[in-house]
Amino acid sequence: MELVTPDVEKMGESDGIRRNSTLICAPIMADTVDQMLIHMNSAKSSGADCVEIRLDSLKVVNAREDIQTLVKLSQLPTIFTYRPTWEGGKYDGDEQGRLAALRLAMELGADHIDVELKAVDDFNNLIRGDMPTKCKLIVSSHNYQNTPSVEDLGNLVARIQATGADIVKFATTAVDITDVARVFQITAHSQVPIIAMVMGEKGLMSRVLCPKFGGYLTFGTVEDGKVSAPGQPTIRDLLDLFNFRQLGPDTKVFGIIGKPVGHSKSPLLYNKAFRSVGFNGVYVHMLVDNVKNFLETYSSTDFAGFSCTIPHKESIVQCCDEVDPVAKSIGAVNCVIRRQNDGKLYGCNTDYVGAISAIEDSLRGSGVENGASGSPLAGRLFVVIGAGGAGKALAYGAKEKGARIVIANRTYDRARELAEIIGGEALTLADLNTYKPENDMILANTTSIGMQPNIDDTPISKEALKSYALVFDAVYTPKITRLLREAGECGALVVTGVEMFIGQAYEQYERFTGLPAPKELFREIMANY
């Protein structure tokens, strides 16, 4: 079964034309051939284009019999790999036997075989140039420590090409997300078919954006967690979450910048919305350590916009060429647009809009009248937990609506700083448990306390919650945090982080795309979440 590059114009997908020829390859690792065959069938039904059969994962290998069975029964084109321990695999036996099995796979009808750069001279001596035309030779190199410089990667590719490889493959490790840019550069300029991956969570972009830069294939797993290398997404995520088949050289890249960031549901929201209107963009998780380095590295207008979350909302302000006056007075930015005409970065804050309107709607819904400022928050005591970017945004938003502000934070100095800027009172987090100056206060948690995986944590005792009429939590994974559950049990109104998330997303989507936000679709997606 020859692996032909798909005719991208003819390949209809369920929701439009396939815009790229990059393949999705499912790594198949199992103890027995029978288990492998089950996984191979699952890979086909999930939408993979080919399978990588990892012979080194089998408990016992009967080379001729096993390879014959796998080639004959595979419904997808095959890559046979027999990875030794010295290259990150599981095979620790005799080298001659390993190379002989790969030669056998080639003779028995494998579409590709993968031979390591360190072993390819021995392999070429073994086959003496006798390579069936049907079988393509992938020569691979894996670096589990870091990602070398562009010059070193270029030299590596040249060395792999010189071995007679039909396809060049290398995988490096992301120490920082900026490492991925060097791999994109090599991929985009490669004159031969190339598979170039950056392993680890910080390397996710390399796996998702392959089609934009012209990679030959990417790896997608059949099941979550069953990976053959760190950071592999599932086939389902590639197809349904990242709209992989619709990506191309002109696709604009957006993403959520944060640390941690894997929990974020933003990619789900934006990519579904992009797909629904045929907008040529993709939105990915971006695990960023240093936001300045990140923005300087990905400076092309193709990297068109970013949502910004904990802990970068304040430090990103300095990285913007222009900042919206509201965001400037808050001192925090959660949305950055790269202007397409001049590449300049424009920062704004959509956090407070989403949260404040959700809190107001909930109060009005329970019969609270608008105050003098036209808001049910007017005159209310509004306690904000956290003095970071989101805390500043909410304090600013509530103040604007006529509320009296109290800032509670782990470190008192930060609480005092913000309270002085906003004009309010400051407390430590510990003080909150005994702070009861009046009833029917509003509480807003803007920290990550209670977020997965620490779902048993809460910033305030249940007893203290009895003084509050409404409690809001910016955390939305889980949707109902311990804080909200206990607040509900005390009779308070609760507003989930999902409401704030959807509210701020409307405005960001419109800034990213120039199109009206599909509000119904956003609500529907988050209702299913």
Side-chain angles (χ1 to χ4, degrees), residues 146-148 153 172-184 198 297-298:
N146 56 24
T147 299
L153 289 173
T172 64
T173 298
V175 177
D176 189 87
I177 193 167
T178 53
D179 296 343
V180 180
R182 302 198 286 284
V183 173
F184 285 154
V198 189
T297 302
Y298 297 98

Side-chain angles (χ1 to χ4, degrees), residues 363 380-381 438-443 466-470:
L363 287 169
R380 290 285 184 122
L381 201 55
E438 58 188 70
N439 285 327
D440 293 337
M441 297 185 288
I442 311 284
L443 182 69
K466 291 175 181 167
S467 308
Y468 293 89
L470 180 146

Side-chain angles (χ1 to χ4, degrees), residues 171 185 214 265 283 304 313 346 353 383 413 442 496 507 519:
Q185 198 178 330
K265 297 292 175 247
Y283 187 106
K313 292 184 186 196
Y346 171 78
V353 186
V383 180
D413 285 350
I442 311 284
T496 72
E507 198 177 326
K519 296 190 174 179

Side-chain angles (χ1 to χ4, degrees), residues 52 79-84 86-87 95 98-103 105-106 112-127 131 135-142 160 163 165-170:
E52 180 190 35
I79 299 173
F80 277 82
T81 300
Y82 206 174
R83 192 76 72 223
W86 48 261
E87 189 86 5
E95 188 63 0
R98 185 178 80 84
L99 296 178
L102 287 169
R103 176 185 178 174
M106 188 177 82
H112 301 73
I113 54 165
D114 177 323
V115 180
E116 300 74 21
L117 176 60
K118 289 178 196 163
V120 74
D121 287 347
D122 291 341
F123 183 75
N124 282 335
N125 289 336
L126 179 70
I127 64 166
M131 187 89 180
C135 186
K136 296 265 191 291
L137 174 63
I138 298 171
V139 176
S140 63
S141 168
H142 299 76
I160 294 176
T163 65
D166 296 300
I167 297 164
V168 168
K169 177 187 173 192
F170 70 82

